[in-house]
Amino acid sequence: MVSGKIISVITVDPVNFTANIRHTFEDFYLDGNKIEGTVEVMKLFVNAYASLTGQQTFDISIIKKDGAVLSLKGKQEREWIEGFA
């Protein structure tokens, strides 16, 4: 069972070849567990080495039905180095 909203805001900057996506949760529940926080994705279309790159930052809390809280916070970076062209 899912209820609530995931709000996504997408911003594209064609001058600097980037796209930013920010997801936030508003009264969002999954199987009765509340999810709070944000996930931000920044895509740099081409870096200095002509590779596609992306970065994801997340800060999420899951408040379980029994009151336990699970937290996830971090940053992930990816680079596509082969097979693009």
Side-chain angles (χ1 to χ4, degrees):
M1 178 69 112
V2 176
S3 67
K5 296 180 187 178
I6 299 175
I7 301 168
S8 299
V9 177
I10 301 169
T11 308
V12 177
D13 182 352
V15 174
N16 294 310
F17 303 105
T18 61
N20 294 301
I21 305 165
R22 180 180 174 92
H23 305 288
T24 55
F25 303 92
E26 184 178 300
D27 295 322
F28 189 78
Y29 290 84
L30 177 62
D31 292 332
N33 302 306
K34 186 172 185 178
I35 300 175
E36 298 178 332
T38 60
V39 176
E40 293 187 51
V41 179
M42 184 175 97
K43 296 187 180 228
L44 301 170
F45 297 136
V46 179
N47 67 10
Y49 304 105
S51 297
L52 295 176
T53 61
Q55 189 178 87
Q56 182 177 15
T57 306
F58 42 90
D59 187 358
I60 298 174
S61 294
I62 301 170
I63 303 161
K64 298 185 60 104
K65 291 185 254 184
D66 64 4
V69 178
L70 306 171
S71 296
L72 180 64
K73 188 173 186 173
K75 184 177 175 180
Q76 179 182 23
E77 295 185 24
R78 294 182 178 190
E79 180 179 7
W80 189 350
I81 59 173
E82 235 180 303
F84 171 64

